[in-house]
Amino acid sequence: MSQVRKTETPEDRVVAIMSKLPPKSLMRFKCIRKSWCTLINSPSFVAKHLSNSVDNKLSSYTCILLNRSQVHVFPDKSWKREVLWSMINFFNDRVSRTLYYNVEDLNIPFPRDDHEHILIHGYCNGIVCVISGKNILLCNPATREFRQLPDSFLLLPSPLGGKFELETDFGGLGFGYDCRAKDYKVVRIIENCEYSDDERTYYHRIPLPHTAEVYTMATNSWKEVKIDISSKTYPCSCSVYLKGFCYWFTRDGEEFILSFDLGDERFHRIQLPSRRESSFEFYYIFLCNESIASFCSLYDRSEDSKSCEIWVMDDYDGVKSSWTKLLVAGPFKGIEKPLTLWKCDELLMIDTDGRVISYNSGIGYLTYLHISPIINRVIDSQALIYVESIVPVK
């Protein structure tokens, strides 16, 4: 029996073409025709567009989202913080060994006052989870959509004073997609303490067990989850999402990775490779080619230079982890810190003057990127490999 071949309709061709367009164009098209608006908002089209964007990420192009801020101080001693978000699109020509790029400055109207900074704490499928002052926001930079999360019921207002009064503080934040529930989730770790004296100084601080809660986008609500880690555990970095898990670089006297399974909502501890004997120190993690990776650095005071290593986690079976040293770079002078690695051998860094640099470890070449200038010293700088999407957050 012959198989009937399905013919492609004009509507199918329209969907195929539109699903490869950038979000900025699609947002304009929504205003042109009602049927296009319905199509672009449909879950199937959103999923198809995301799939195409992820496939494009595996090509020779790379998009990086850059978050920086600086403080302006005025003659009357007043001040304000300026937040600068940029999208850098890279293309590395391997034949001519030339790096091409363009920069788009993103004017995103974050709801904040002039003194608050914006810090990225998680990213998944084009959505970033940020903290603005005391608020947690989900933001899609490509569509300029926001969602402000409801207040925590575990994070209490600061007590007015007195000893043995419970004090709660933000300890860590993660964001990702639960494939089982087919829903986006935010996990928040909260540090708790009390004080043995009315002065409430650090020396009188008594750490108490951490608490944690999970927010689900579908219900727009928080619920408490179990967390069993030391009261002296402190997540120290932006979380990294990968395949249903959130990961944080963490310290509790030693360095390790804390993970959270968004499906069963349980925390796990993952050991980092030991580098103590070489005086290198791990200090944060990032996503590298669909693997968890960590920067490890050494500062040489006599030379005022910094060297770094990049380690990649090959395997984790729930008990043990195995790691491979992927890259050694440096020593560099005048480098503040590395930001992320793209295309296996291009290391994005920021120098002490706030300039962004891409370093090709294969040929040992530094490229200074022309990005909107930083007049004052950079206070915060973050970068992540980004995939544009039209995934809604409202």
Side-chain angles (χ1 to χ4, degrees):
M1 185 176 180
S2 61
Q3 190 175 12
V4 178
R5 186 177 177 181
K6 184 180 178 181
T7 57
E8 187 181 50
T9 66
E11 289 77 12
D12 293 333
R13 288 194 288 273
V14 169
V15 170
I17 293 170
M18 292 182 66
S19 65
K20 295 178 181 178
L21 295 177
K24 186 182 292 186
S25 299
L26 294 175
M27 294 304 103
R28 294 194 188 107
F29 289 171
K30 287 172 67 173
C31 303
I32 296 174
R33 187 181 293 180
K34 187 175 180 180
S35 61
W36 285 0
C37 181
T38 303
L39 169 66
I40 293 167
N41 287 338
S42 68
S44 59
F45 182 84
V46 170
K48 185 176 181 64
H49 183 271
L50 177 61
S51 176
N52 287 336
S53 298
V54 171
D55 289 343
N56 188 54
K57 187 186 82 168
L58 303 176
S59 70
S60 54
Y61 291 90
T62 301
C63 180
I64 290 180
L65 180 65
L66 180 65
N67 172 30
R68 300 168 296 158
S69 67
Q70 63 180 345
V71 171
H72 297 283
V73 180
F74 302 104
D76 63 356
K77 305 300 182 183
S78 64
W79 63 279
K80 74 171 185 177
R81 187 188 300 268
E82 183 182 12
V83 176
L84 304 166
W85 277 39
S86 304
M87 203 92 78
I88 313 172
N89 294 290
F90 287 107
F91 172 71
N92 204 341
D93 189 334
R94 298 291 180 181
V95 177
S96 64
R97 292 187 173 182
T98 304
L99 177 65
Y100 300 98
Y101 67 93
N102 63 70
V103 180
E104 178 188 0
D105 292 325
L106 305 178
N107 297 313
I108 301 179
F110 288 108
R112 66 182 188 95
D113 67 33
D114 287 343
H115 295 166
E116 292 174 341
H117 58 189
I118 301 288
L119 285 180
I120 298 172
H121 280 267
Y123 161 77
C124 176
N125 293 344
I127 302 173
V128 290
C129 180
V130 304
I131 286 188
S132 173
K134 295 182 178 180
N135 299 317
I136 298 176
L137 307 172
L138 296 180
C139 167
N140 185 326
T143 62
R144 308 301 200 270
E145 283 187 352
F146 290 95
R147 174 187 286 220
Q148 181 170 325
L149 273 55
D151 293 337
S152 163
F153 62 88
L154 295 178
L155 200 58
L156 306 176
S158 299
L160 298 176
K163 59 184 179 181
F164 302 119
E165 288 281 341
L166 176 64
E167 181 175 284
T168 61
D169 196 10
F170 165 78
L173 197 67
F175 170 68
Y177 185 70
D178 179 358
C179 301
R180 298 183 202 172
K182 295 186 176 1
D183 197 6
Y184 289 92
K185 292 182 176 181
V186 177
V187 55
R188 173 161 46 190
I189 301 170
I190 294 171
E191 298 170 8
N192 302 289
C193 74
E194 60 186 19
Y195 293 86
S196 60
D197 190 272
D198 288 336
E199 292 183 12
R200 303 177 66 81
T201 64
Y202 176 81
Y203 300 101
H204 299 108
R205 187 176 185 273
I206 304 172
L208 299 174
H210 289 30
T211 49
E213 57 187 348
V214 169
Y215 166 89
T216 55
M217 190 181 284
T219 63
N220 193 35
S221 63
W222 295 93
K223 69 173 182 179
E224 187 171 4
V225 295
K226 183 180 179 181
I227 180 169
D228 186 18
I229 59 175
S230 164
S231 59
K232 296 182 180 179
T233 298
Y234 303 102
C236 303
S237 70
C238 166
S239 73
V240 174
Y241 169 78
L242 178 64
K243 298 176 181 177
F245 285 79
C246 292
Y247 300 86
W248 298 264
F249 173 74
T250 313
R251 288 191 176 101
D252 66 354
E254 67 175 16
E255 299 148 344
F256 66 98
I257 293 176
L258 182 68
S259 71
F260 180 75
D261 187 331
L262 291 166
D264 65 20
E265 298 182 342
R266 295 175 62 185
F267 289 90
H268 306 273
R269 183 185 179 111
I270 303 172
Q271 292 302 126
L272 284 161
S274 176
R275 301 295 292 138
R276 296 280 175 121
E277 74 284 351
S278 65
S279 299
F280 275 81
E281 291 186 10
F282 288 98
Y283 57 101
Y284 68 92
I285 61 173
F286 64 102
L287 194 61
C288 175
N289 296 326
E290 300 303 307
S291 296
I292 298 297
S294 182
F295 282 116
C296 186
S297 73
L298 172 66
Y299 175 65
D300 186 336
R301 292 184 181 275
S302 62
E303 297 291 332
D304 189 25
S305 64
K306 187 174 290 185
S307 301
C308 74
E309 299 174 344
I310 295 177
W311 289 75
V312 175
M313 186 167 69
D314 300 313
D315 187 40
Y316 174 64
D317 61 7
V319 179
K320 292 182 179 180
S321 59
S322 61
W323 293 79
T324 298
K325 188 194 298 186
L326 177 68
L327 182 69
V328 179
F332 301 107
K333 287 192 175 184
I335 295 298
E336 181 75 22
K337 65 177 182 178
L339 295 173
T340 192
L341 183 75
W342 63 281
K343 294 301 177 190
C344 296
D345 58 1
E346 286 281 349
L347 183 60
L348 198 72
M349 304 184 289
I350 192 161
D351 73 7
T352 50
D353 294 324
R355 293 181 298 177
V356 180
I357 306 163
S358 189
Y359 171 72
N360 186 300
S361 62
I363 59 177
Y365 190 74
L366 287 168
T367 302
Y368 284 85
L369 307 183
H370 297 283
I371 303 176
S372 43
I374 292 287
I375 300 172
N376 302 313
R377 187 177 184 274
V378 174
I379 304 299
D380 304 299
S381 54
Q382 298 173 287
L384 55 87
I385 296 175
Y386 182 75
V387 173
E388 286 191 300
S389 80
I390 55 170
V391 176
V393 295
K394 288 186 176 179

